[in-house]
């Protein structure tokens, strides 16, 4: 009986162990095509996001990206806090391109030496709307050049 249980245990482990490994079964994220960083820089307004702790209580969120001489990007994120929105919260950081073929995969740091993924997943041809995320799918933002977007 001991010998007949071993294959069954291995079969069950093969079925369930991958799900316990903490990796999701999602296919790899697709990124936008080639991104012109000079066109991408400037002010973006947050239209929507997955909730996360570092933007708790924030409204009217903006992200300003400035291309630096060394190829990095200066990042300034700001939002309004409180019911009246009269207090400004800001965070400055730095982004660097990690996929120079497309410029669509970056790493962003607000607390050196820690960097997080910043992937440009979808970008309209006029650089007016963008979807930004990262491989684990824990974070996603829809950004627009204007504070409001048309529904389509």
């Amino acid at each position: 009986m001991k010998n007949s249980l071993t294959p069954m245990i291995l079969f069950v482990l093969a079925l369930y162990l991958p799900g316990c490994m903490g990796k999701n079964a999602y296919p790899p994220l697709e990124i936008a095509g080639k991104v012109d960083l000079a066109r991408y820089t400037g002010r973006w307004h947050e239209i929507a996001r997955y909730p996360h702790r570092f933007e708790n209580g924030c409204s009217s969120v903006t992200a300003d990206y400035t291309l630096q001489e060394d190829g990095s990007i200066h990042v300034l994120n700001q939002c309004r806090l409180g019911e009246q929105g009269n207090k400004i919260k800001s965070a400055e950081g730095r982004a660097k391109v990690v996929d120079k073929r497309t410029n669509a995969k970056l790493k962003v740091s607000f607390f050196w030496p820690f960097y997080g993924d910043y992937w440009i997943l979808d970008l309209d041809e006029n650089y007016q709307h963008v979807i930004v995320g990262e491989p684990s799918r824990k974070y996603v933002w829809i950004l627009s050049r204007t504070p409001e977007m048309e529904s389509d």
Side-chain angles (χ1 to χ4, degrees):
M1 180 143 164
K2 183 177 181 184
N3 287 340
S4 64
L5 283 178
T6 302
M8 184 180 290
I9 291 170
L10 291 175
F11 176 74
V12 171
L13 285 175
L15 285 176
Y16 291 101
L17 196 55
C20 298
M21 301 289 284
K23 298 284 182 187
N24 58 38
Y26 300 120
L29 286 175
E30 291 186 28
I31 56 171
K34 181 98 171 125
V35 176
D36 178 346
L37 292 177
R39 288 184 70 194
Y40 190 80
T41 56
R43 173 160 285 187
W44 290 93
H45 298 268
E46 180 182 274
I47 302 301
R49 68 174 178 262
Y50 279 165
H52 44 76
R53 64 174 172 74
F54 50 88
E55 281 190 79
N56 280 348
C58 281
S59 63
S60 302
V61 179
T62 60
D64 291 287
Y65 304 117
T66 308
L67 194 56
Q68 305 297 295
E69 286 185 26
D70 67 358
S72 67
I73 299 170
H74 177 263
V75 180
L76 174 62
N77 289 344
Q78 293 184 313
C79 74
R80 296 194 171 276
L81 292 173
E83 288 184 30
Q84 307 303 321
N86 53 5
K87 183 177 179 187
I88 302 289
K89 176 182 174 182
S90 64
E92 288 192 66
R94 176 179 177 260
K96 58 184 180 180
V97 175
V98 294
D99 179 356
K100 297 201 186 286
R101 185 180 52 81
T102 65
N103 292 334
K105 292 182 181 180
L106 298 95
K107 293 278 190 181
V108 179
S109 176
F110 291 96
F111 309 101
W112 184 87
F114 304 104
Y115 282 84
D117 290 309
Y118 179 105
W119 288 14
I120 300 170
L121 303 176
D122 194 26
L123 176 63
D124 80 299
E125 63 186 32
N126 296 318
Y127 287 66
Q128 296 301 301
H129 310 105
V130 66
I131 300 173
V132 176
E134 48 78 50
S136 77
R137 294 170 166 81
K138 290 182 183 176
Y139 305 104
V140 68
W141 293 267
I142 298 174
L143 307 175
S144 173
R145 293 293 188 178
T146 57
E148 294 180 7
M149 270 178 67
E150 304 234 352
S151 60
D152 30 314

